[in-house]
Amino acid sequence: MIEKKTILFAEDTVHIAKLLKFKLEKEGFNLIHFPSGVGVTDGVIKFKPDLVMLDIMMPVKDGLTVLKEIKSNPSIADIPVILLTANSHEEYVVKGLQLGAIDYILKPFASNEIVLRIKNILKMR
Amino acid sequence: MVTHLDIFGFLALTIFALLILTYVLVIQVVLLRLVHGYQEKQEQKFISIWGERIFNYLESSEKPETLIRIIRRGKYIYLLHYLREFFLMLKGDDLKRLSGLINETKLQPFLISHLKSGSPKKINEAAYFLGLAKSAASKNILRKKLQSQNASVFLSSALALARLNDVKAIFEIFRNARRFTFISKDSLLTIFSEYTDEICNPLLENLKKEKNALIISITITLFRHFKFYQAGETILKIMVYSQNKEVVIESIKYFSAIDFFEAATALRSLINHPKAEVRAEVLKALAVLGDKSFEQRIWDRMYDSEYEVQYNAVTTLLKIIPDSEEKISTFAYGNLNDRAAAIARMVLSERNIKN
């Protein structure tokens, strides 16, 4: 039996998070959702997901801070991280890529595009 | 003669009236909270029933009418509230399917009936969704709404028309916006930037004869936003003759954004402009469009009376003059009590350039 890949994602927009969960679970992934950046790094350490997806703009703790924490922890640093951000915040993307994110997706997005990107990244590893 | 009794009577009446008023207000707040709480619960209930059904619809080829037909008209408003986030966050096939829920179903006449209503709240909400769904059927009514006396109705209708890319409406939007003195340039720019670059050609034709400085300034900002190169010559003529600071600044920003080197000579004449903001903007543009021939004029501006101009003079020199680093460094550290030299030292240290 093929083992299901696990994706941990942090997204504060409730309905969008539900849509992503619905879509990716249908594609056969295990999904773990965090409604903000709080606790995400601990979650990554605990669940060791195959991929992490972070919204950059989140209250309390933003995606870039979480990314920095993940990349500075050797036990989880090699887990690929994708960033999600609004078109108007493209400047954060460069910073995110410098911090070690593997890819980024701009909002608005097509849900199929997210699925494809995730599959491609996981295939490459 | 006023007696103590009269005064006490008056005070008692006043206190009684205030108590009644407070009571009415409290009742009103409680009722509003109850209604709001009820609506929120209804909305949650709606989402729990229909949320996944809508996700399934999004990735299927199911006809939108099949889904909308089974949702009661009274629940449409919950559905629309639920869809709002998706309209803003999704694109491509997802957005097409979402738009289909409005454009190909009873939701469209429902929203159009709201658009025709007298309630600004209903009109604004309807305009918002019809615009996001790019409902062509609503164009004519939205255009009529541009003439509304209510500023929020005007703004929501203009935004919807922009999302519909209704190029014919642009001048109606400009004309009607003038009726509301408090509508800012930024609000209008937010609306116009929702259009595609199809608006550039008609705007360019209008620019050639336009007299209103605000419209000229907005038009030039939009050309910069759309990187519309074809307006270079027209804007150059406007900048040379304009007395309006905003128009001149927007023109300079435009030339810099599209690398319009033909404007460099005209910019040379603006380097001593009486307005400091213009001088600073010229220097910023010269960092992109200038060359060695500007060196002495830019050096002169290091002794400008305004800090922003001095600062930009140093940064521009560093950018366009290949050997300026050493020269500026010598100047900066050789004149310790000079204000221009102090600013030069600051710029050098920002760039980690040591003496």
Side-chain angles (χ1 to χ4, degrees):
Chain A
M1 202 179 96
I2 303 165
E3 203 188 327
K4 274 187 172 184
K5 300 271 187 192
T6 300
I7 298 168
L8 185 147
F9 78 111
E11 165 66 66
D12 63 322
T13 324
V14 189
H15 300 325
I16 290 297
K18 279 186 182 163
L19 173 67
L20 286 175
K21 198 166 185 289
F22 172 84
K23 190 97 187 170
L24 290 162
E25 277 176 349
K26 246 187 158 182
E27 293 290 329
F29 295 105
N30 270 331
L31 265 289
I32 302 164
H33 172 235
F34 283 77
S36 77
V38 179
V40 173
T41 311
D42 291 338
V44 176
I45 294 167
K46 187 177 167 190
F47 298 110
K48 292 271 163 49
D50 297 284
L51 185 136
V52 174
M53 191 159 59
L54 300 170
D55 185 12
I56 292 185
M57 301 303 280
M58 288 186 291
V60 190
K61 198 176 199 180
D62 64 80
L64 290 180
T65 309
V66 178
L67 173 65
K68 222 181 280 177
E69 286 175 0
I70 292 173
K71 293 299 165 188
S72 60
N73 184 330
S75 71
I76 51 171
D78 62 341
I79 295 173
V81 178
I82 298 181
L83 296 171
L84 270 172
T85 190
N87 257 339
S88 51
H89 296 125
E90 271 184 85
E91 69 273 18
Y92 295 118
V93 168
V94 180
K95 208 172 170 197
L97 293 174
Q98 282 169 345
L99 287 170
I102 194 161
D103 201 355
Y104 66 92
I105 290 161
L106 294 179
K107 292 177 185 173
F109 57 79
S111 56
N112 285 337
E113 185 191 335
I114 294 197
V115 173
L116 280 176
R117 296 250 201 127
I118 288 174
K119 280 183 174 173
N120 283 340
I121 290 167
L122 292 174
K123 213 187 284 174
M124 283 191 295
R125 299 183 71 84
Chain B
M1 200 178 118
V2 180
T3 63
H4 284 300
L5 219 59
D6 290 335
I7 294 168
F8 282 127
F10 176 73
L11 279 174
L13 253 173
T14 310
I15 290 167
F16 182 71
L18 283 171
L19 277 173
I20 293 284
L21 191 68
T22 312
Y23 183 71
V24 169
L25 281 172
V26 168
I27 294 279
Q28 207 173 4
V29 169
V30 170
L31 278 175
L32 279 173
R33 291 190 95 172
L34 281 173
V35 170
H36 183 72
Y38 173 77
Q39 281 176 341
E40 219 165 65
K41 268 189 187 159
Q42 288 295 307
E43 209 162 315
Q44 289 304 324
K45 200 174 152 195
F46 177 87
I47 293 167
S48 68
I49 296 169
W50 293 99
E52 210 165 302
R53 178 75 174 79
I54 291 164
F55 294 163
N56 275 316
Y57 158 81
L58 282 181
E59 56 176 27
S60 71
S61 53
E62 180 188 5
K63 281 188 175 171
E65 188 56 48
T66 314
L67 173 67
I68 299 300
R69 203 185 298 138
I70 46 178
I71 297 174
R72 290 213 327 266
R73 190 181 159 95
K75 308 281 181 195
Y76 283 175
I77 209 70
Y78 303 132
L79 170 67
L80 289 166
H81 286 174
Y82 181 57
L83 295 182
R84 187 187 295 260
E85 217 171 70
F86 298 114
F87 265 114
L88 297 171
M89 298 279 192
L90 297 176
K91 67 173 185 184
D93 288 343
D94 293 326
L95 187 59
K96 262 188 213 160
R97 296 286 290 156
L98 276 176
S99 301
L101 285 176
I102 290 179
N103 296 336
E104 296 165 37
T105 70
K106 287 178 194 164
L107 267 179
Q108 182 163 264
F110 170 79
L111 287 169
I112 288 179
S113 72
H114 277 204
L115 200 59
K116 287 176 178 168
S117 76
S119 154
K121 190 176 172 241
K122 279 186 177 178
I123 296 171
N124 292 341
E125 199 156 63
Y128 181 79
F129 286 106
L130 291 164
L132 284 174
K134 300 195 190 309
S135 153
S138 61
K139 261 187 200 176
N140 288 335
I141 309 158
L142 285 166
R143 278 193 207 150
K144 280 182 194 155
K145 292 291 165 193
L146 291 177
Q147 288 152 24
S148 169
Q149 298 301 314
N150 183 307
S152 73
V153 169
F154 163 75
L155 285 170
S156 64
S157 306
L159 185 65
L161 286 164
R163 284 177 169 154
L164 276 154
N165 202 35
D166 183 11
V167 178
K168 282 183 189 163
I170 50 179
F171 299 111
E172 280 177 64
I173 295 174
F174 273 137
R175 199 168 40 247
N176 284 293
R178 287 189 215 174
R179 294 181 294 124
F180 306 101
T181 48
F182 51 88
I183 290 181
S184 67
K185 181 184 168 185
D186 283 349
S187 303
L188 290 173
L189 280 172
T190 306
I191 289 168
F192 283 112
S193 54
E194 289 284 334
Y195 272 102
T196 68
D197 60 3
E198 265 182 63
I199 56 166
C200 291
N201 279 320
L203 279 176
L204 177 57
E205 283 314 304
N206 180 66
L207 188 64
K208 290 173 185 168
K209 51 184 193 297
E210 184 61 60
K211 299 278 178 249
N212 182 295
L214 178 65
I215 296 178
I216 295 173
S217 162
I218 289 175
T219 303
I220 298 172
T221 313
L222 287 169
F223 287 162
R224 172 159 58 94
H225 169 76
F226 288 114
K227 294 260 188 314
F228 182 65
Y229 306 94
Q230 294 89 320
E233 292 296 333
T234 307
I235 295 176
L236 188 54
K237 277 182 206 155
I238 289 171
M239 182 185 76
V240 170
Y241 295 108
S242 180
Q243 300 295 314
N244 184 286
K245 186 181 80 179
E246 284 294 317
V247 170
V248 175
I249 288 176
E250 284 308 325
S251 305
I252 299 167
K253 284 182 180 171
Y254 167 79
F255 295 134
S256 167
I258 65 157
D259 293 342
F260 192 71
F261 290 96
E262 292 89 328
T265 314
L267 291 178
R268 188 196 298 264
S269 62
L270 290 175
I271 211 165
N272 295 320
H273 195 277
K275 303 275 184 196
E277 295 105 303
V278 175
R279 298 197 296 277
E281 212 52 58
V282 168
L283 289 165
K284 280 187 216 166
L286 287 177
V288 180
L289 308 172
D291 56 38
K292 210 173 177 344
S293 68
F294 292 88
E295 185 174 0
Q296 191 49 53
R297 281 170 178 262
I298 300 172
W299 266 103
D300 294 345
R301 292 275 53 91
M302 283 174 65
Y303 290 97
D304 199 280
S305 57
E306 296 296 324
Y307 163 79
E308 205 191 343
V309 181
Q310 293 178 289
Y311 181 90
N312 282 302
V314 185
T315 55
T316 301
L317 279 173
L318 284 168
K319 225 167 190 178
I320 63 170
I321 312 296
D323 55 352
S324 60
E325 207 174 275
E326 199 184 324
K327 203 172 164 186
I328 292 172
S329 186
T330 310
F331 166 75
Y333 294 98
N335 302 274
L336 291 178
N337 297 320
D338 186 280
R339 182 180 133 104
I343 291 169
R345 281 197 297 279
M346 193 183 79
V347 175
L348 291 172
S349 66
E350 274 177 6
R351 283 161 174 68
N352 283 325
I353 301 170
K354 304 243 161 36
N355 183 18

